[in-house]
Coordinates of all heavy atoms in Angstrom, one line a residue:
M1157 N -112.6 6.4 177.7 CA -113.1 7.6 177.0 C -112.3 8.8 177.3 O -112.0 9.6 176.5 CB -114.6 7.8 177.5 CG -115.6 7.0 176.8 SD -115.7 7.2 175.0 CE -115.5 5.5 174.5
Q1158 N -111.9 8.8 178.6 CA -111.1 10.1 179.0 C -109.8 10.2 178.2 O -109.4 11.3 178.0 CB -110.8 10.0 180.4 CG -110.3 11.3 181.0 CD -110.2 11.2 182.6 OE1 -110.7 10.3 183.2 NE2 -109.6 12.2 183.1
E1159 N -109.2 9.0 177.8 CA -108.0 9.2 177.2 C -108.1 9.8 175.8 O -107.2 10.5 175.3 CB -107.3 7.8 177.0 CG -108.1 6.8 176.2 CD -109.1 6.0 177.1 OE1 -109.1 6.1 178.2 OE2 -109.7 5.1 176.5
F1160 N -109.3 9.6 175.1 CA -109.6 10.3 173.9 C -109.7 11.9 174.0 O -109.1 12.5 173.1 CB -110.9 9.8 173.2 CG -110.9 8.3 172.8 CD1 -111.5 7.3 173.4 CD2 -110.2 8.0 171.6 CE1 -111.4 6.1 173.0 CE2 -110.1 6.7 171.2 CZ -110.7 5.7 171.9
V1161 N -110.2 12.2 175.1 CA -110.4 13.6 175.4 C -109.1 14.2 175.7 O -108.7 15.4 175.2 CB -111.4 13.8 176.6 CG1 -111.5 15.4 176.9 CG2 -112.8 13.3 176.2
I1162 N -108.3 13.5 176.5 CA -106.9 14.1 176.8 C -106.0 14.2 175.5 O -105.4 15.2 175.4 CB -106.2 13.1 177.9 CG1 -107.0 13.2 179.2 CG2 -104.7 13.4 177.9 CD1 -106.5 12.2 180.2
K1163 N -106.2 13.2 174.7 CA -105.4 13.2 173.4 C -105.8 14.4 172.6 O -105.0 15.2 172.0 CB -105.5 12.0 172.7 CG -104.7 11.8 171.5 CD -103.3 11.7 171.8 CE -102.5 11.4 170.5 NZ -101.1 11.3 170.8
A1164 N -107.1 14.7 172.6 CA -107.7 15.8 171.8 C -107.1 17.1 172.3 O -106.7 18.0 171.6 CB -109.2 15.8 171.7
V1165 N -107.1 17.2 173.7 CA -106.6 18.5 174.3 C -105.2 18.6 174.0 O -104.7 19.7 173.6 CB -106.8 18.4 175.8 CG1 -106.1 19.6 176.5 CG2 -108.3 18.5 176.2
Q1166 N -104.4 17.6 174.1 CA -103.0 17.7 173.7 C -102.7 18.1 172.3 O -101.9 18.9 172.0 CB -102.3 16.3 174.0 CG -102.2 15.9 175.4 CD -101.7 14.5 175.6 OE1 -101.9 13.6 174.8 NE2 -101.1 14.2 176.8
Q1167 N -103.5 17.6 171.4 CA -103.4 18.0 170.0 C -103.8 19.4 169.8 O -103.1 20.2 169.0 CB -104.3 17.1 169.0 CG -103.8 15.8 168.9 CD -104.7 14.9 168.0 OE1 -105.9 15.4 167.7 NE2 -104.2 13.8 167.6
L1168 N -104.8 19.9 170.4 CA -105.2 21.3 170.3 C -104.1 22.3 170.9 O -103.7 23.2 170.2 CB -106.5 21.6 171.0 CG -107.7 21.0 170.3 CD1 -108.9 21.1 171.3 CD2 -108.0 21.7 169.1
V1169 N -103.5 21.9 172.0 CA -102.4 22.7 172.6 C -101.2 22.7 171.7 O -100.6 23.7 171.5 CB -102.1 22.2 174.0 CG1 -100.8 22.8 174.5 CG2 -103.2 22.4 175.0
A1170 N -101.0 21.5 171.1 CA -99.8 21.4 170.1 C -100.0 22.2 168.8 O -99.1 22.9 168.3 CB -99.5 20.0 169.7
Q1171 N -101.2 22.6 168.5 CA -101.6 23.4 167.3 C -101.6 24.9 167.8 O -101.9 25.8 167.0 CB -103.0 23.0 166.8 CG -103.0 21.7 166.2 CD -104.4 21.3 165.7 OE1 -105.3 21.9 166.0 NE2 -104.4 20.1 165.1
G1172 N -101.4 25.2 169.1 CA -101.4 26.5 169.5 C -102.7 27.0 169.8 O -103.0 28.3 169.9
K1173 N -103.7 26.1 170.0 CA -105.1 26.6 170.3 C -105.4 26.4 171.7 O -104.9 25.5 172.3 CB -106.1 25.8 169.4 CG -106.0 26.0 167.9 CD -106.9 25.2 167.1 CE -106.7 25.4 165.6 NZ -107.6 24.6 164.8
T1174 N -106.3 27.2 172.2 CA -106.8 27.1 173.6 C -108.0 26.1 173.6 O -109.0 26.3 172.9 CB -107.3 28.4 174.2 OG1 -106.2 29.3 174.2 CG2 -107.8 28.2 175.6
P1175 N -107.9 25.0 174.3 CA -108.9 24.0 174.3 C -110.2 24.5 174.8 O -110.2 25.1 175.9 CB -108.4 22.8 175.1 CG -106.9 23.1 175.3 CD -106.7 24.5 175.1
T1176 N -111.3 24.3 174.1 CA -112.7 24.6 174.6 C -113.6 23.3 174.3 O -113.1 22.4 173.6 CB -113.2 25.8 173.7 OG1 -113.4 25.4 172.3 CG2 -112.4 27.1 173.9
V1177 N -114.7 23.3 174.9 CA -115.6 22.2 174.7 C -115.8 22.0 173.2 O -115.8 20.8 172.8 CB -116.9 22.4 175.5 CG1 -117.9 21.4 175.1 CG2 -116.7 22.5 177.0
A1178 N -116.1 23.0 172.5 CA -116.4 22.9 171.1 C -115.3 22.4 170.3 O -115.4 21.5 169.4 CB -116.9 24.3 170.5
L1179 N -114.1 22.9 170.5 CA -112.9 22.3 169.8 C -112.6 20.9 170.2 O -112.3 20.1 169.2 CB -111.6 23.2 170.2 CG -111.7 24.6 169.5 CD1 -110.4 25.4 170.0 CD2 -111.6 24.5 168.0
V1180 N -112.6 20.6 171.4 CA -112.5 19.2 171.8 C -113.5 18.3 171.2 O -113.1 17.2 170.7 CB -112.4 19.0 173.4 CG1 -112.3 17.6 173.8 CG2 -111.2 19.8 174.0
K1181 N -114.7 18.6 171.3 CA -115.7 17.8 170.8 C -115.6 17.6 169.3 O -115.8 16.6 168.7 CB -117.1 18.5 171.0 CG -118.2 17.5 170.9 CD -119.5 18.1 171.5 CE -120.6 17.1 171.3 NZ -121.3 16.5 172.4
G1182 N -115.1 18.6 168.6 CA -114.8 18.5 167.1 C -113.7 17.6 166.8 O -113.6 17.1 165.7
K1183 N -112.8 17.3 167.7 CA -111.6 16.5 167.4 C -111.9 15.0 167.7 O -111.3 14.1 167.2 CB -110.5 16.9 168.4 CG -109.7 18.0 168.0 CD -108.6 17.6 167.0 CE -107.6 18.6 166.7 NZ -106.9 18.3 165.5
L1184 N -113.1 14.8 168.5 CA -113.3 13.4 168.8 C -114.1 12.7 167.7 O -114.8 13.2 166.9 CB -114.3 13.4 170.0 CG -113.7 14.1 171.3 CD1 -114.8 14.2 172.4 CD2 -112.5 13.3 171.8
I1185 N -113.6 11.4 167.6 CA -114.2 10.6 166.5 C -115.4 9.7 167.0 O -116.1 9.2 166.2 CB -113.1 9.6 165.9 CG1 -112.5 8.7 167.0 CG2 -112.0 10.4 165.2 CD1 -111.6 7.6 166.5
Q1186 N -115.6 9.7 168.3 CA -116.8 8.9 168.8 C -117.4 9.9 169.9 O -116.7 10.6 170.4 CB -116.3 7.7 169.4 CG -115.2 7.7 170.4 CD -114.7 6.3 170.8 OE1 -115.1 5.3 170.2 NE2 -113.8 6.2 171.7
P1187 N -118.6 9.6 170.1 CA -119.3 10.4 171.1 C -118.7 10.2 172.5 O -118.4 9.0 172.9 CB -120.8 9.9 171.1 CG -120.9 9.0 170.0 CD -119.5 8.6 169.5
V1188 N -118.7 11.3 173.2 CA -118.1 11.2 174.7 C -119.0 12.1 175.4 O -119.4 13.1 175.0 CB -116.6 11.8 174.8 CG1 -116.2 11.8 176.2 CG2 -115.7 10.9 174.0
A1189 N -119.4 11.6 176.6 CA -120.3 12.3 177.5 C -119.8 13.7 177.8 O -118.5 13.8 178.1 CB -120.6 11.5 178.8
M1190 N -120.6 14.7 177.8 CA -120.2 16.1 178.0 C -119.5 16.2 179.3 O -118.5 16.9 179.5 CB -121.4 17.0 178.0 CG -121.1 18.4 177.9 SD -120.1 19.0 176.5 CE -121.4 18.9 175.2
P1191 N -120.0 15.5 180.4 CA -119.3 15.7 181.8 C -117.9 15.3 181.7 O -116.9 15.8 182.4 CB -120.1 14.8 182.7 CG -121.4 14.8 182.1 CD -121.2 14.9 180.7
V1192 N -117.5 14.3 180.8 CA -116.1 13.7 180.8 C -115.3 14.9 180.1 O -114.2 15.2 180.6 CB -116.0 12.5 179.9 CG1 -114.5 12.1 179.7 CG2 -116.8 11.4 180.6
I1193 N -115.7 15.6 179.1 CA -115.0 16.6 178.4 C -114.8 17.7 179.3 O -113.7 18.3 179.5 CB -115.8 17.0 177.1 CG1 -115.9 15.9 176.1 CG2 -115.1 18.3 176.5 CD1 -116.8 16.2 174.9
I1194 N -115.9 18.2 180.0 CA -115.8 19.3 181.0 C -114.8 19.0 182.0 O -114.1 19.8 182.5 CB -117.2 19.6 181.5 CG1 -118.0 20.2 180.3 CG2 -117.1 20.6 182.6 CD1 -119.5 20.4 180.6
N1195 N -114.9 17.7 182.6 CA -113.9 17.4 183.7 C -112.5 17.5 183.2 O -111.7 18.0 184.0 CB -114.3 16.0 184.1 CG -113.5 15.5 185.4 OD1 -113.1 16.4 186.2 ND2 -113.2 14.2 185.4
V1196 N -112.2 16.9 182.1 CA -110.8 17.0 181.5 C -110.4 18.5 181.4 O -109.3 18.9 181.7 CB -110.7 16.1 180.2 CG1 -109.3 16.5 179.6 CG2 -110.8 14.8 180.5
L1197 N -111.3 19.3 180.7 CA -111.0 20.7 180.5 C -110.8 21.4 181.9 O -109.9 22.3 181.9 CB -112.0 21.4 179.7 CG -112.0 21.1 178.2 CD1 -113.2 21.6 177.4 CD2 -110.7 21.5 177.5
N1198 N -111.6 21.2 182.9 CA -111.4 21.9 184.1 C -110.1 21.4 184.7 O -109.3 22.2 185.3 CB -112.6 21.4 185.1 CG -113.8 22.2 184.8 OD1 -113.8 23.3 184.2 ND2 -114.9 21.7 185.2
H1199 N -109.7 20.2 184.6 CA -108.4 19.7 185.1 C -107.3 20.4 184.4 O -106.3 20.7 185.0 CB -108.3 18.2 185.0 CG -107.1 17.6 185.6 ND1 -107.0 17.6 187.0 CD2 -106.1 17.0 185.1 CE1 -105.9 16.9 187.3 NE2 -105.2 16.7 186.1
Y1200 N -107.5 20.5 183.1 CA -106.4 21.2 182.2 C -106.3 22.7 182.7 O -105.2 23.1 182.8 CB -106.8 21.1 180.8 CG -106.0 22.0 179.9 CD1 -104.7 21.7 179.6 CD2 -106.5 23.2 179.5 CE1 -103.9 22.6 178.8 CE2 -105.7 24.1 178.7 CZ -104.4 23.8 178.4 OH -103.7 24.6 177.7
K1201 N -107.4 23.3 182.9 CA -107.3 24.8 183.4 C -106.6 24.9 184.7 O -105.9 25.9 184.9 CB -108.7 25.3 183.4 CG -109.3 25.6 182.0 CD -110.7 26.1 182.1 CE -111.3 26.3 180.7 NZ -112.7 26.8 180.7
K1202 N -106.9 24.0 185.6 CA -106.2 24.1 187.0 C -104.7 23.7 186.9 O -103.9 24.4 187.6 CB -106.9 23.0 187.9 CG -108.3 23.5 188.4 CD -108.8 22.5 189.2 CE -110.3 22.9 189.5 NZ -111.0 21.9 190.3
D1203 N -104.4 22.8 186.0 CA -103.0 22.4 185.9 C -102.6 21.8 184.5 O -102.7 20.7 184.2 CB -102.6 21.2 186.9 CG -101.2 20.9 187.0 OD1 -100.4 21.7 186.5 OD2 -100.9 19.8 187.6
P1204 N -102.4 22.8 183.6 CA -102.1 22.5 182.1 C -101.1 21.4 182.0 O -101.1 20.6 181.2 CB -101.9 23.8 181.6 CG -102.4 24.8 182.4 CD -102.3 24.2 183.8
A1205 N -100.0 21.4 182.7 CA -98.9 20.5 182.6 C -99.3 19.2 182.9 O -98.7 18.2 182.2 CB -97.7 21.0 183.5
S1206 N -100.2 18.9 183.8 CA -100.6 17.5 184.1 C -101.2 16.9 182.9 O -101.1 15.6 182.6 CB -101.5 17.6 185.2 OG -102.8 18.1 185.0
I1207 N -102.0 17.6 182.0 CA -102.6 17.0 180.8 C -101.6 16.9 179.7 O -101.6 15.9 179.0 CB -103.8 17.9 180.5 CG1 -104.9 17.9 181.5 CG2 -104.4 17.4 179.1 CD1 -105.6 16.5 181.7
I1208 N -100.9 18.1 179.4 CA -99.9 18.1 178.3 C -98.8 17.0 178.4 O -98.4 16.4 177.5 CB -99.4 19.5 178.2 CG1 -100.5 20.4 177.8 CG2 -98.3 19.6 177.2 CD1 -100.1 21.9 177.9
L1209 N -98.4 16.9 179.7 CA -97.2 15.9 179.8 C -97.8 14.5 180.1 O -96.9 13.6 180.2 CB -96.4 16.4 181.0 CG -95.7 17.8 180.9 CD1 -95.0 18.1 182.2 CD2 -94.8 17.8 179.7
Q1210 N -99.0 14.3 180.2 CA -99.5 12.9 180.6 C -99.3 12.1 179.4 O -99.6 12.5 178.2 CB -101.0 13.1 180.9 CG -101.6 11.7 181.3 CD -103.0 12.0 181.8 OE1 -103.5 13.0 182.0 NE2 -103.7 10.8 182.1
D1211 N -98.9 10.8 179.7 CA -98.6 9.9 178.6 C -100.0 9.2 178.3 O -100.6 8.7 179.2 CB -97.7 8.8 179.0 CG -96.3 9.1 178.4 OD1 -96.2 9.9 177.5 OD2 -95.3 8.5 178.8
V1212 N -100.4 9.3 177.2 CA -101.7 8.6 176.7 C -101.3 7.6 175.7 O -100.5 8.0 174.7 CB -102.7 9.5 176.2 CG1 -104.0 8.9 175.7 CG2 -103.0 10.5 177.3
D1213 N -101.8 6.4 175.7 CA -101.5 5.5 174.6 C -101.8 6.1 173.2 O -102.7 6.8 173.2 CB -102.3 4.2 174.7 CG -102.0 3.3 175.9 OD1 -100.8 3.4 176.4 OD2 -102.9 2.7 176.4
D1214 N -101.0 5.9 172.3 CA -101.2 6.5 171.1 C -102.5 6.2 170.4 O -102.6 5.4 169.5 CB -99.9 6.2 170.1 CG -99.4 7.3 169.3 OD1 -99.7 8.5 169.7 OD2 -98.8 7.0 168.3
V1215 N -103.4 7.0 170.8 CA -104.8 6.9 170.2 C -104.9 7.6 169.0 O -104.5 8.9 168.9 CB -105.9 7.4 171.2 CG1 -107.2 7.4 170.7 CG2 -105.8 6.7 172.6
A1216 N -105.2 7.0 167.9 CA -105.2 7.7 166.6 C -106.5 8.5 166.4 O -107.6 7.9 166.4 CB -105.1 6.6 165.5
L1217 N -106.4 9.8 166.4 CA -107.4 10.7 166.0 C -107.2 11.2 164.7 O -106.1 11.5 164.3 CB -107.5 11.9 167.1 CG -107.9 11.5 168.5 CD1 -107.9 12.8 169.4 CD2 -109.2 10.8 168.5
P1218 N -108.2 11.2 163.8 CA -108.0 11.5 162.4 C -107.6 13.0 162.3 O -108.1 13.8 163.2 CB -109.2 11.2 161.7 CG -110.3 11.2 162.8 CD -109.6 10.8 164.0
D1219 N -106.9 13.4 161.4 CA -106.6 14.8 161.2 C -107.9 15.3 160.4 O -108.1 15.1 159.2 CB -105.4 15.0 160.3 CG -105.1 16.5 160.0 OD1 -105.7 17.3 160.8 OD2 -104.3 16.8 159.1
Q1220 N -108.7 16.0 161.1 CA -110.0 16.5 160.5 C -109.8 17.8 159.8 O -110.1 18.9 160.4 CB -111.1 16.5 161.6 CG -111.4 15.2 162.2 CD -112.4 15.3 163.3 OE1 -112.7 16.3 163.8 NE2 -113.0 14.1 163.6
S1221 N -109.2 17.8 158.6 CA -109.0 19.0 158.0 C -110.2 19.6 157.4 O -111.1 18.9 156.8 CB -108.1 18.7 156.7 OG -106.8 18.2 157.2
I1222 N -110.4 20.9 157.7 CA -111.6 21.6 157.2 C -111.1 22.8 156.5 O -110.0 23.3 156.6 CB -112.6 21.9 158.3 CG1 -111.9 22.8 159.4 CG2 -113.2 20.7 159.0 CD1 -112.9 23.2 160.4
G1223 N -112.0 23.3 155.5 CA -111.7 24.4 154.7 C -111.7 25.7 155.6 O -112.1 25.8 156.8
A1224 N -111.0 26.8 154.9 CA -110.9 28.1 155.8 C -112.3 28.6 156.0 O -112.5 29.1 157.1 CB -110.1 29.0 154.8
E1225 N -113.3 28.5 155.1 CA -114.6 28.9 155.4 C -115.3 28.2 156.5 O -115.8 28.9 157.5 CB -115.4 28.8 154.1 CG -116.8 29.4 154.2 CD -117.6 29.3 153.0 OE1 -117.1 29.4 151.9 OE2 -118.9 29.0 153.1
Q1226 N -115.1 26.9 156.5 CA -115.7 26.2 157.6 C -115.0 26.5 159.0 O -115.7 26.6 160.0 CB -115.6 24.6 157.4 CG -116.5 24.2 156.3 CD -116.2 22.7 155.9 OE1 -115.2 22.2 156.0 NE2 -117.4 22.1 155.6
Q1227 N -113.6 26.6 159.0 CA -113.0 27.0 160.2 C -113.4 28.4 160.7 O -113.5 28.5 161.9 CB -111.4 27.1 159.9 CG -110.6 27.3 161.2 CD -110.8 26.3 162.3 OE1 -110.8 25.0 162.0 NE2 -110.9 26.7 163.5
S1228 N -113.6 29.3 159.8 CA -114.1 30.6 160.1 C -115.4 30.6 160.8 O -115.7 31.2 161.9 CB -114.1 31.5 158.9 OG -114.6 32.7 159.2
Q1229 N -116.3 29.8 160.2 CA -117.7 29.6 160.8 C -117.5 29.0 162.2 O -118.3 29.4 163.1 CB -118.5 28.8 159.9 CG -119.9 28.6 160.4 CD -120.8 27.8 159.4 OE1 -120.3 27.1 158.5 NE2 -122.1 27.8 159.6
L1230 N -116.7 27.9 162.3 CA -116.5 27.3 163.6 C -116.0 28.3 164.6 O -116.4 28.2 165.8 CB -115.6 26.1 163.4 CG -115.3 25.3 164.7 CD1 -116.5 24.7 165.3 CD2 -114.3 24.2 164.5
D1231 N -115.0 29.1 164.2 CA -114.6 30.1 165.1 C -115.5 31.0 165.6 O -115.6 31.5 166.8 CB -113.3 30.9 164.5 CG -112.0 30.0 164.2 OD1 -112.0 28.9 164.9 OD2 -111.3 30.4 163.5
R1232 N -116.5 31.5 164.7 CA -117.5 32.4 165.1 C -118.5 31.7 166.1 O -118.9 32.3 167.0 CB -118.3 32.9 163.8 CG -117.5 33.9 163.1 CD -118.4 34.6 162.0 NE -119.1 33.7 161.2 CZ -118.7 33.2 160.0 NH1 -117.4 33.5 159.6 NH2 -119.4 32.4 159.3
I1233 N -118.8 30.5 165.8 CA -119.7 29.7 166.7 C -119.2 29.6 168.0 O -119.8 29.7 169.1 CB -120.1 28.4 166.0 CG1 -121.0 28.6 164.8 CG2 -120.8 27.6 166.9 CD1 -121.2 27.4 164.0
E1234 N -117.8 29.2 168.0 CA -117.1 29.0 169.3 C -117.1 30.4 170.1 O -117.3 30.3 171.3 CB -115.7 28.5 169.0 CG -115.0 28.3 170.3 CD -113.5 27.9 170.1 OE1 -113.2 27.6 168.9 OE2 -112.8 27.8 171.0
A1235 N -116.8 31.5 169.4 CA -116.8 32.8 170.2 C -118.2 33.0 170.7 O -118.2 33.6 171.9 CB -116.3 33.9 169.2
K1236 N -119.2 32.8 170.1 CA -120.6 33.0 170.5 C -120.9 32.1 171.7 O -121.4 32.6 172.8 CB -121.6 32.8 169.4 CG -121.7 33.8 168.4 CD -122.8 33.5 167.3 CE -122.7 34.5 166.3 NZ -123.7 34.1 165.1
L1237 N -120.4 30.9 171.7 CA -120.6 30.0 172.8 C -119.8 30.4 174.0 O -120.3 30.4 175.1 CB -120.2 28.5 172.3 CG -120.3 27.5 173.4 CD1 -121.8 27.3 173.9 CD2 -119.7 26.1 172.9
D1238 N -118.6 30.8 173.8 CA -117.8 31.4 174.9 C -118.5 32.6 175.5 O -118.5 32.8 176.7 CB -116.5 31.7 174.5 CG -115.6 30.4 174.1 OD1 -115.9 29.3 174.6 OD2 -114.5 30.6 173.4
R1239 N -119.1 33.5 174.7 CA -119.8 34.6 175.3 C -121.0 34.2 176.1 O -121.3 34.8 177.2 CB -120.1 35.6 174.2 CG -119.0 36.5 173.7 CD -119.5 37.5 172.7 NE -120.0 36.7 171.5 CZ -119.7 37.1 170.3 NH1 -119.1 38.1 170.0 NH2 -120.2 36.3 169.3
L1240 N -121.7 33.2 175.5 CA -122.9 32.8 176.2 C -122.6 32.1 177.6 O -123.2 32.4 178.6 CB -123.7 31.8 175.4 CG -124.5 32.4 174.3 CD1 -125.0 31.3 173.3 CD2 -125.6 33.2 174.7
L1241 N -121.4 31.3 177.6 CA -121.1 30.6 178.8 C -120.5 31.8 179.8 O -120.9 31.6 181.1 CB -119.9 29.7 178.5 CG -120.3 28.4 177.8 CD1 -119.2 27.6 177.4 CD2 -121.2 27.6 178.7
A1242 N -119.9 32.8 179.3 CA -119.5 33.9 180.2 C -120.7 34.6 180.8 O -120.6 34.9 182.0 CB -118.6 34.8 179.5
L1243 N -121.7 34.8 180.1 CA -122.8 35.4 180.6 C -123.6 34.6 181.6 O -124.1 35.1 182.6 CB -123.8 35.8 179.4 CG -123.5 36.9 178.6 CD1 -124.5 37.0 177.4 CD2 -123.5 38.2 179.4
L1244 N -123.6 33.3 181.4 CA -124.2 32.4 182.3 C -123.4 32.3 183.7 O -124.0 32.3 184.7 CB -124.3 31.0 181.8 CG -125.3 30.8 180.7 CD1 -125.3 29.3 180.1 CD2 -126.8 31.0 181.3
E1245 N -122.1 32.4 183.5 CA -121.2 32.4 184.7 C -121.5 33.6 185.6 O -121.4 33.6 186.8 CB -119.8 32.3 184.4 CG -119.4 30.8 183.9 CD -118.0 30.8 183.5 OE1 -117.3 31.7 183.5 OE2 -117.7 29.6 183.1
V1246 N -121.7 34.8 184.9 CA -121.9 36.1 185.6 C -123.2 36.1 186.3 O -123.3 36.6 187.5 CB -121.8 37.2 184.6 CG1 -122.3 38.5 185.2 CG2 -120.4 37.4 184.1
K1247 N -124.2 35.4 185.7 CA -125.6 35.4 186.4 C -125.7 34.4 187.5 O -126.5 34.4 188.3 CB -126.6 35.1 185.3 CG -126.8 36.3 184.3 CD -128.0 36.1 183.5 CE -128.0 37.4 182.5 NZ -129.3 37.4 181.9
S1248 N -124.7 33.5 187.5 CA -124.7 32.4 188.6 C -124.3 32.9 189.9 O -123.5 33.7 190.1 CB -123.9 31.2 188.1 OG -124.4 30.7 187.0

């Protein structure tokens, strides 16, 4: 399962996007446990090169093309989620 998450992170970075839980989860074609996604993202944040340069068997993830309106809505939802997570971190 971890290889799917790593591949999704690599694709997001290649697109010039900062990987987040929401973006990674949106790239996955099958359910992956949230702790696995968070673990890979934490590892990426500590050492981005280790994930980006890691060889993963060529796992085919579909190009999930979405319209501009859907992307805009997804961006707004992601921004709200990031703000909520930041608030939770401050209160912890």
Side-chain angles (χ1 to χ4, degrees):
M1157 285 294 127
Q1158 191 171 353
E1159 62 272 0
F1160 291 108
V1161 178
I1162 292 170
K1163 186 70 172 174
V1165 169
Q1166 290 172 336
Q1167 287 182 346
L1168 289 167
V1169 170
Q1171 294 171 356
K1173 297 180 180 178
T1174 301
T1176 63
V1177 172
L1179 286 176
V1180 170
K1181 196 166 177 118
K1183 279 277 190 196
L1184 299 172
I1185 58 173
Q1186 59 188 2
V1188 175
M1190 191 66 71
V1192 174
I1193 296 171
I1194 293 170
N1195 186 30
V1196 171
L1197 285 175
N1198 284 337
H1199 187 71
Y1200 168 77
K1201 287 178 183 178
K1202 289 179 185 172
D1203 186 12
S1206 68
I1207 296 289
I1208 294 170
L1209 300 177
Q1210 185 172 354
D1211 262 344
V1212 177
D1213 292 334
D1214 219 20
V1215 178
L1217 294 178
D1219 181 19
Q1220 297 178 343
S1221 299
I1222 58 176
E1225 183 178 322
Q1226 289 175 325
Q1227 182 63 43
S1228 175
Q1229 183 179 13
L1230 179 61
D1231 289 342
R1232 286 192 309 271
I1233 292 169
E1234 182 183 353
K1236 288 178 183 178
L1237 179 60
D1238 288 341
R1239 282 186 295 226
L1240 288 171
L1241 289 172
L1243 286 172
L1244 287 173
E1245 288 176 359
V1246 168
K1247 291 187 179 195
S1248 295

